[in-house]
Amino acid sequence: MATPLRSNRDFRLLWLSGLFAVLGSQMSALALPLLVLKMTGSAVQAGAVGTVSVCALLVTMLPGGVMADRVERRRLMRLCDAGSLAAVTALTIAVWYGHAPMVLVLLVATSGAVLSSVYGPAAFGLMRAVVPPDQMGTATARLQARTSTVKMVGPLVGGGLFGIHEALPFAAQFLGLLLSTVCVALVRTRSEARSRAGSVFSRRELTAGLAFLWQLPYLRTVLLVFGLGMNFAFGALTFTALAVFSENGASGLGGGFVLTCVSAGSLAGALIAPRIAPDRHARALIVATCWACVLTAAALAWLSSALLAGLLCAICMCLSTVASIGFLSTLLIVTPEDRIGRVQSAAGFLSSMVQPFGPLAGGALLTLLGSRIAFSAIGCVLAVSAAVVTLAPSVRAGAATAPPTGEPEPKAAQEPEPKPVQEPEPKSAQEPEPEPAGTSRPAPDSAGPGAH
């Protein structure tokens, strides 16, 4: 009989590790651009920090997945911990003494993104060794709930600490990383691919995850339509709602309420997911999410109430979170153990690559066509995506329940202990999702709207 998650020592340690790391990264994610803005007075340079971080993450995401399939995953996570601690220590000391050059800030942001691209796939691989398949949906939901909660609290705490002293948010991040490192070091489970990946920069290895996703019609269709199309359109939808209900910048109250509702919807979805077994109803949840987004876009074209707009966006985000948890659980279960790093990084790459362009497209449509036509155009894109997901035979058939290679999967090695953690064959992961800046840890990747 599988060990319940509440009694699974290694899962608790992984959950705590992500809690400390994501809380620290959320505090610094707000503080880092504020620091640059205070030092330089340039909003362009402050925005450049986030741009550099996102670009570095996208460039290194696929190589990071290869690394996770080459090196023992817990060891790789500890190496990333050491690199993150070194970077944050240097930044904290520099800020404390009032000498934090822009070059150092960009180096820290870049190194954080690079380390996250390696840490994330390794963490997913280790979690698969720790959590059995029938508990994967619940485990992923708990990670997502943790990350959603921290995202609501972290920036507020980081902003308060920054107001006291510029170095405090980064000192808090250092403490969080240190506690996270201790938690990872205490994990007993090992996870190492029996058939190790080849060279990190080999074209074959870099595309192995994408090739696997392409071979399974269900994964391919959901990622292309729900991951790319819906992420892009939902990003455009939320940005347009932010601009419209902020009265084009005259008041931030309405737009802020909409964004708060989106965050609350994500948290609600993560809390609801364990109660409805999302991995067993992934298709129905994905279809419901798509059509809910279509109806929301149609309603926003005529609504003038920020309250109703926020509630509709919260419902969409709640459904999307539950559907994404179900899809991610399925992805982790059907992926062969020796490819989990490359497949997870490939799925995250596909879901992330279009996100920066959604707000840009929404802003362009709003400027050129006005709010009503902008929402209608976005709704048309959402409707096409919803129709494809609803009617596609590959989505209706679902995913395979076993790796297509037919190879037996190796069990994770574990150090002797009086009461060993059960390691059957089987995440955020928060967490993990790229942060705007700083050294961050990823949360569980989501395929659908609002992911990352």
Side-chain angles (χ1 to χ4, degrees):
M1 183 177 178
T3 303
L5 283 179
R6 64 178 177 274
S7 303
N8 190 326
R9 174 184 179 276
D10 281 358
F11 175 75
R12 295 201 310 269
L13 287 170
L14 288 176
W15 191 92
L16 287 172
S17 170
L19 174 68
F20 295 133
V22 176
L23 180 60
S25 67
Q26 285 296 308
M27 288 189 287
S28 69
L30 175 68
L32 202 56
L34 290 179
L35 175 66
V36 174
L37 188 62
K38 184 174 182 178
M39 291 190 308
T40 66
S42 171
V44 174
Q45 293 189 50
V49 176
T51 301
V52 168
S53 179
V54 171
C55 291
L57 184 70
L58 290 175
V59 169
T60 58
M61 193 174 285
L62 295 180
V66 180
M67 282 291 295
D69 290 337
R70 279 177 59 87
V71 182
E72 196 279 311
R73 286 155 185 152
R74 197 197 74 149
R75 183 188 308 160
L76 188 59
M77 292 167 66
R78 294 175 69 179
L79 291 174
C80 292
D81 283 332
S84 298
L85 281 170
V88 173
T89 300
L91 181 63
T92 303
I93 294 174
V95 175
W96 183 266
Y97 287 102
H99 301 289
M102 187 66 180
V103 173
L104 176 61
V105 172
L106 292 176
L107 284 175
V108 170
T110 303
S111 65
V114 172
L115 290 169
S116 292
S117 68
V118 178
Y119 188 97
F124 274 90
L126 183 58
M127 192 185 84
R128 172 171 167 155
V130 169
V131 179
D134 59 345
Q135 296 178 353
M136 192 64 70
T138 301
T140 306
R142 290 186 181 180
L143 296 180
Q144 182 66 45
R146 174 203 67 193
T147 302
S148 298
T149 303
V150 170
K151 282 188 172 182
M152 296 178 67
V153 176
L156 180 63
V157 176
L161 292 176
F162 187 86
I164 299 173
H165 193 284
E166 294 88 341
L168 288 181
F170 307 109
Q173 184 184 17
F174 171 84
L175 178 59
L177 283 170
L178 183 62
L179 293 173
S180 174
T181 302
V182 172
C183 290
V184 172
L186 292 175
V187 172
R188 295 192 176 102
T189 303
R190 303 292 187 271
S191 175
E192 185 172 6
R194 185 182 60 179
S195 301
R196 295 189 180 185
S199 172
V200 174
F201 298 104
S202 164
R203 179 180 178 182
R204 177 181 177 181
E205 300 298 344
L206 290 174
T207 58
L210 296 170
F212 176 83
L213 294 171
W214 189 261
Q215 290 170 3
L216 289 182
Y218 172 79
L219 299 181
R220 178 179 69 223
T221 304
V222 171
L223 278 170
L224 289 178
V225 179
F226 192 61
L228 268 76
M230 292 293 293
N231 260 335
F232 173 81
F234 193 76
L237 179 72
T238 53
F239 180 83
T240 304
L242 170 65
V244 169
F245 293 101
S246 294
E247 300 176 6
N248 293 321
S251 171
L253 184 60
F257 177 77
V258 171
L259 293 185
T260 299
C261 286
V262 170
S263 298
S266 177
L267 176 59
L271 295 175
I272 292 171
R275 302 177 180 275
I276 61 176
D279 49 323
R280 300 176 186 176
H281 310 288
R283 176 187 174 271
L285 290 167
I286 289 171
V287 171
T289 300
C290 292
W291 288 112
C293 290
V294 174
L295 295 176
T296 294
L300 291 180
W302 300 94
L303 285 177
S304 58
S305 169
L307 175 62
L308 293 177
L311 292 176
L312 288 174
C313 289
I315 293 172
C316 290
M317 195 63 200
C318 179
L319 288 172
S320 173
T321 300
V322 179
S324 297
I325 289 171
F327 175 78
L328 177 59
S329 303
T330 301
L331 176 69
L332 292 176
I333 292 170
V334 303
T335 303
E337 186 274 341
D338 59 352
R339 301 189 203 178
I340 189 67
R342 286 165 289 177
V343 171
Q344 188 275 331
S345 63
F349 177 79
L350 290 174
S351 297
S352 302
M353 62 185 298
V354 297
Q355 288 186 353
F357 303 104
L360 180 64
L365 288 172
L366 183 61
T367 301
L368 296 175
L369 305 175
S371 61
R372 184 164 296 175
I373 299 179
F375 282 124
S376 300
I378 295 170
C380 290
V381 176
L382 292 167
V384 171
S385 299
V388 172
V389 169
T390 303
L391 302 175
S394 57
V395 179
R396 299 175 68 179
T401 57
T405 58
E407 298 176 358
E409 298 195 18
K411 293 183 179 180
Q414 199 174 42
E415 295 177 350
E417 59 176 320
K419 295 182 179 180
V421 178
Q422 184 173 358
E423 301 177 61
E425 300 173 6
K427 224 131 173 179
S428 273
Q430 282 293 320
E431 212 108 217
E433 38 197 274
E435 303 298 338
T439 46
S440 61
R441 296 287 176 76
D445 289 335
S446 300
H452 308 284

